[in-house]
Each structure stands twice: as C-alpha cells, then as structure tokens.
Amino acid sequence: MTTAKTRTSIPTAGRVHRFSYAIRNIVAEAQRVEAAGTRVRYLNIGDPVAFGFHTPAHLVDAAERALRDGHNGYGPSAGIAPEREAVAADCTAKGFPVPADRVFITAGTSEGIELTLSAVVDSGGEVLVPMPTYPLYTAVLAKLDARAKYYRLDPARGWMPDLDHLKSLVTPATRALVVIDPNNPTGAVYPVPVRRALLAFADEHNLLVLADEVYGELGFDGAVEPYGRLDPDAPIISFSSLSKAYLAPGWRTGWMAIGRSPRLDDVVSAVKKLADGRLCSTVPMQYAVMAALQGDRSHQIAFREALRARATLTIDRLTAIPGMSCVAPTAAFYAMPRVALPPGRTDEDYVLSLLRSTGVLCVYGSGFGLPPADGFLRIVFLAPLEELREIYDRMARFTADYLS
Ligand SMILES: Cc1ncc(COP(=O)(O)O)c(C=O)c1O
C-alpha cells in the first residue's frame, strides 16, 4: 500500500475562473446568514415547485408508469421517437413546422443550449447575448473559450433590445444571436416588429438564432407565439422544457427544435454527434413530454393568473418605494427593479446588505451582465401574495435606511 505524501492542491482549469453563475453563487452567503439565525426568503431561483406550485398529476403518472414499465435503460441519443414527434407536432401546430428528426430531447433547455453553442461556436468565436442575460449563456461561452458580446436591452423602452447597439457589435467572428423572449430576467415580451427586426438582422449576417422560448406559455395574456412562426425558413432553433410552464424543473427534461432550413442541416449533424457523446437524457421523464404537450394544460390558466396577480402586486409595491423604479413584466415570474444607488455603491452591495439585514435574497443585476453601479436586481415573485407583501414591507424599510 502507498500513502500519499504530497500536500499541494490538485490544480483546476483556468476556465473555471471565467465561469460564473450568480443565481447560485449568492446562496453561500445566504446560508451564512441563515446559520447566524435569520430566516432567508430565497427569491433568487425561478423554481415554481419550491413555492408550492404542483407538477400536474398526468405528468407524474406518465413518468411513474415509464419507471414501472421498465423504461430504465439507455434511450436513443436524440430522444424517444414518440416524444420527438410530440414536440414536432406542437411546434408545427404553433406555426413553426419542424420535422421530428430535427427535434432533440435534452436535459432541460440548458443542455440544448450547451449542445448548440458547442456545435456552432469555436474557441474565439463570438455570440450576441442580451444584457441583462440569463447567465447560462455566458457561463457556457466561458467554458468554450468563446466570447459573449452583450447587446443592450433598454429599461427606458420596456427592456426592448437596442437594435442599433446590436448592429454595432457584429464582427467576422460572430456566429449566433441569442434571443430570450419572453425574457428572464426582465419579464418582457417583444412585439412582432421587434422580433422581425431581430430575425432580419440575423439573416443579413448569416447568424444562427437561438430562440430561448422556455417561458413561451407563460405570457400573462396567454401563450406567446414562437419566433419560427414569423419565418419558418429562417435558421432558428427553439428551446423549451418541462421546467417552467409544466412545473417540473427537477426532472431536467426539455427539447430543442431545429428549423427546417437546409442551412441548418450541418448543425443538426453536429448536435447529433455531440448528443451521442452523452448517450441520452433521462429516459423515464421523456415519457412525460407527450403527456405535457398533448394532455390537459388547464394548470397553465391558473398559473398565468397567479403570476399576473403577483406581478401586479410586485410593481405596485416596488414602485411605491422612494428611490426604486421597475418596468412591469408581461410574462414569466421575474421583475428587475432599479435602486438609485448613492455614488460609490454597487448592486451587489445593496443585495448583500438587504440579505444580511432582512433575510430577503435577490440576485444583483451585475450577475446578469449589467454595470454594478446601475443598481438593478432581480426578484423572483413566485411566493404567495401574503408573503410577498411582507417581503416588500421589509424591502421598503431597508431601502429607506440604505438610501438615507
Ligand atoms: C431564460 C432561461 N433559459 C433557460 C433556463 C434553463 O431552464 P431548464 O430548466 O429548462 O434547463 C432558464 C431557467 O431559469 C431560463 O430562465
């Protein structure tokens, strides 16, 4: 037997230092606050199940049946055929015609995004990413040694993309445009002319469009149409999952639908090759995809109404706080208020001070790519109304002290 004598740490890769995911990173500080005896309200992560919303029973039944029926072996790397067909039929019914052989079942939207960026972006390549962004994009690009080029979303215009700024960022190294619509972290939905302008811009520069449509069913006024409907022949990949609108984020089950354009044939092959390398996504949960897309969706009506009520309360209460402003969201469960910070202070300072003195945990805007001095933070408003009222009372008292 040999006994190790060396005490030097095993070195880690440089890419880890470039990888950041603020939504989870701040939890370490929250746990310290909790250990010191303060109750923490976790408004940092968009998980409806954590706030008492239930996964629909027919989805649970489908996954349970699959487990009991012995569907516990590896599956095809692209996903089980009937479930791919269900996604293709759903996209086609929404006006984005996609053949089933261009659908991949993935471990959530997240894995589809990672497979796609890995398939199309070389080291040194550039991808246009909104600012603020959902941080997965920048995290994956850091792993690929590629660059996120941030295009501004403008809070003064309801968080719409700044198209002039976007156009100024294109270089010969640009490979793709990321569009998150409905948006996390802003809750905005882009009107059709803005969507058309984004597609025209991507077409002009031969860019792949990653349409992150994971909140597509959660517009307060009903489901939002997919980008592919506007131009089924554009090079669009649509991403979604069971996580948000089907209330099963822990199942890590989602899909990507690659548009029918022959310009995407090589991307289909490249994604297939990479998907083969991870064998398959979790098989029993795939059986719930068809149940979700072809079964009863009435839970979404109740969920949307619950979200609208929480959004209204959130905006009413936050905009009443002196020094705070907020654009009203029209989808999903996020709001992005802004605090008029005193000179020298940062969004992280405000968020950590709020956490330490009230136990309310939000994510600072710079975790989504915004300048730290701009004073933005993201709130997940999934908690029950009564709890939100109490949370906003605490925020109002804290902010008055902080700004005085
Ligand atoms: C915009 C956006 N994209 C992707 C994801 C990842 O979702 P999934 O659970 O489907 O991987 C999230 C989760 O919060 C998100 O907000």
Side-chain angles (χ1 to χ4, degrees), residues 38-399:
T38 304
R39 179 181 164 205
V40 173
R41 323 298 173 101
Y42 286 89
L43 306 190
N44 61 316
I45 194 150
D47 178 353
V49 176
F51 293 94
F53 292 95
H54 296 295
T55 314
H58 61 292
L59 270 69
V60 176
D61 290 344
E64 186 190 357
R65 207 176 315 118
L67 284 161
R68 294 198 188 283
D69 288 351
H71 296 295
N72 300 307
Y74 291 126
S77 54
I80 302 165
E83 313 302 319
R84 297 171 78 194
E85 278 156 21
V87 173
D90 188 64
C91 290
T92 304
K94 288 174 175 160
F96 178 37
V98 176
D101 62 2
R102 290 165 91 93
V103 170
F104 290 81
I105 310 288
T106 52
T109 313
S110 305
E111 193 196 30
I113 291 162
E114 180 147 12
L115 284 171
T116 302
L117 291 174
S118 305
V120 300
V121 190
D122 273 316
S123 146
E126 296 177 357
V127 175
L128 299 164
V129 172
M131 182 183 78
T133 185
Y134 176 64
L136 173 71
Y137 292 96
T138 37
V140 171
L141 290 169
K143 274 207 278 186
L144 295 174
D145 199 18
R147 281 188 68 197
K149 297 280 287 270
Y150 282 124
Y151 64 92
R152 277 195 297 266
L153 308 179
D154 184 0
R157 292 187 304 116
W159 290 115
M160 290 302 122
D162 180 337
L163 293 170
D164 291 330
H165 186 232
L166 178 67
K167 287 173 188 165
S168 74
L169 299 172
V170 184
T171 75
T174 313
R175 291 288 167 271
L177 167 68
V178 172
V179 178
I180 306 171
D181 183 4
N183 191 271
N184 173 13
T186 68
V189 178
Y190 305 160
V192 168
V194 171
R195 293 173 150 214
R196 281 196 196 286
L198 290 166
L199 291 184
F201 161 80
D203 189 57
E204 189 186 336
H205 298 282
N206 197 33
L207 303 179
L208 172 67
V209 178
L210 281 82
D212 185 330
E213 301 182 316
V214 72
Y215 300 103
E217 313 271 338
L218 297 183
F220 301 156
D221 292 327
V224 176
E225 290 177 345
Y227 271 66
R229 185 185 176 93
L230 291 175
D231 184 355
D233 293 306
I236 297 173
I237 305 184
S238 170
F239 301 88
S240 193
S241 75
L242 297 182
S243 296
K244 311 294 180 177
Y246 299 92
L247 302 166
W251 290 3
R252 310 310 303 126
T253 301
W255 52 88
M256 52 187 280
I258 305 183
R260 69 186 177 189
S261 164
R263 291 161 72 192
L264 290 173
D265 289 354
D266 290 347
V267 176
V268 176
S269 308
V271 168
K272 173 77 175 66
K273 230 172 157 173
L274 295 177
D276 283 348
R278 64 37 156 157
L279 301 180
C280 61
S281 64
T282 51
V283 168
M285 274 60 190
Q286 291 190 38
Y287 283 83
V289 172
M290 194 196 294
L293 298 180
Q294 295 180 356
D296 178 17
R297 294 194 198 184
S298 56
H299 72 276
Q300 290 180 347
I301 299 169
F303 190 31
R304 284 193 286 258
E305 278 318 306
L307 295 178
R308 185 202 295 279
R310 285 160 172 75
T312 305
L313 173 75
T314 300
I315 291 304
D316 288 352
R317 296 297 308 274
L318 295 183
T319 55
I321 298 175
M324 197 175 269
S325 54
C326 192
V327 175
T330 55
F333 29 77
Y334 308 102
M336 196 85 189
R338 178 180 208 165
V339 189
L341 292 177
R345 295 288 177 89
T346 63
D347 54 5
E348 189 171 346
D349 178 69
Y350 172 87
V351 162
L352 292 178
S353 307
L354 175 71
L355 168 67
R356 288 171 191 141
S357 51
T358 66
V360 175
L361 177 66
C362 304
V363 185
Y364 39 89
S366 47
F368 303 91
L370 290 167
D374 282 7
F376 285 100
L377 61 144
R378 188 193 73 169
I379 292 179
V380 173
F381 54 72
L382 283 165
L385 290 171
E386 221 21 71
E387 203 176 321
L388 285 177
R389 280 190 196 101
E390 197 228 305
I391 286 168
Y392 298 146
D393 284 345
R394 285 167 184 259
M395 285 181 74
R397 283 194 297 270
F398 167 80
T399 306

